[in-house]
């Protein structure tokens, strides 16, 4: 894998690539990735009720179902540290969205500085449901590879402007007052 690449896969009892995206601020995996048994966790209460032995050395898969963004985002934000406190080596979190389209939804996590930082990624709803179902039938192994790392801070800026006009553009796309021009500088993918 090249710099900044990531992947995940179920490797047993079936082989299936996962639709995943590393969480913002996540640490990466060791070189070669992590292969470990997955443990399905439906809630923070369920994790709290588990013994350290049930979690230690495993990849925790949070799949709480959909209860709205405000509830689900907490699994992404603080779930990795809660799992690490029990000895987990990685975390996969069901995407914080109610839409199932094999598309992972990611955002930042917030590490508790008192526990080891472990790699964490969002997975699609479909993949979370598959891992949940497989875990209920028997052991499931997952491989996670993340080259995540932090770069040095750099000075950056945004340039925004508005071009005021007095006539509709003639494109048929609506009122000219709703149109804005947004651009970016060198290195911008937008």
């Amino acid at each position: 894998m090249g710099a900044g690449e990531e992947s995940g896969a179920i490797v047993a009892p079936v082989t299936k690539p996962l639709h995943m995206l590393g969480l913002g601020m996540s640490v990466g995996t060791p070189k070669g990735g992590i292969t470990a048994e997955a443990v399905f966790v439906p809630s923070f209460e369920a994790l709290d009720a588990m013994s350290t032995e049930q979690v230690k050395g495993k990849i925790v898969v949070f799949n709480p179902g959909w209860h709205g963004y405000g509830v689900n985002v907490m699994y992404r934000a603080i779930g990795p540290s809660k799992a690490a406190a029990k000895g987990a080596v990685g975390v996969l979190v069901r995407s914080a969205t109610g839409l199932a389209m094999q598309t992972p939804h990611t955002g930042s996590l917030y590490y508790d500085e008192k526990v080891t930082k472990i790699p964490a990624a969002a997975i699609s709803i479909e993949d979370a449901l598959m891992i949940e179902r497989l875990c209920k039938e028997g052991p499931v192994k997952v491989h996670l590879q993340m080259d995540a790392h932090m770069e040095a801070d750099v000075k950056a800026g945004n340039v925004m402007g508005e071009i005021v006009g007095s006539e509709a553009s003639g494109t048929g796309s609506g009122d000219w007052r709703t149109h804005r021009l947004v651009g970016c500088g060198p290195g911008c993918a937008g």
Side-chain angles (χ1 to χ4, degrees):
M1 300 188 102
E5 293 185 21
E6 58 190 14
S7 65
I10 300 170
V11 295
V14 298
T15 302
K16 182 196 176 299
L18 296 172
H19 298 87
M20 58 81 70
L21 284 172
L23 297 181
M25 308 307 286
S26 177
V27 297
T29 60
K31 188 175 174 98
I34 297 169
T35 301
E37 186 175 333
V39 59
F40 162 69
V41 179
S43 66
F44 286 140
E45 294 77 21
L47 179 66
D48 291 341
M50 297 172 94
S51 69
T52 300
E53 292 74 35
Q54 290 174 291
V55 178
K56 189 174 184 175
K58 296 181 181 174
I59 295 174
V60 167
V61 180
F62 285 113
N63 186 16
W66 179 243
H67 303 287
Y69 186 78
V71 172
N72 283 70
V73 76
M74 294 309 296
Y75 290 90
R76 177 184 78 209
I78 63 174
S81 288
K82 285 179 139 316
K86 291 258 184 171
V89 296
V91 167
L92 296 174
V93 181
R94 171 198 165 117
S95 291
T97 179
L99 301 174
M101 300 183 304
Q102 287 290 21
T103 305
H105 173 271
T106 191
S108 291
L109 63 83
Y110 306 96
Y111 285 119
D112 179 339
E113 294 300 323
K114 297 179 212 134
V115 298
T116 302
K117 294 178 181 180
I118 59 175
I123 57 174
S124 70
I125 293 171
E126 295 88 345
D127 288 341
L129 291 169
M130 176 179 266
I131 292 172
E132 175 183 348
R133 188 181 77 245
L134 291 171
C135 283
K136 289 177 178 177
E137 295 172 1
V140 176
K141 283 203 172 187
V142 172
H143 180 77
L144 184 60
Q145 167 66 45
M146 295 172 56
D147 294 336
H149 62 279
M150 297 298 292
E151 296 283 346
D153 288 344
V154 296
K155 191 172 188 172
N158 295 320
V159 176
M160 297 184 67
E162 180 176 351
I163 299 175
V164 180
S166 60
E167 297 178 20
S169 66
T171 63
S173 60
D175 189 326
W176 63 269
R177 291 169 289 199
T178 64
H179 294 259
R180 299 289 183 265
L181 175 65
V182 178
C184 55
C188 176

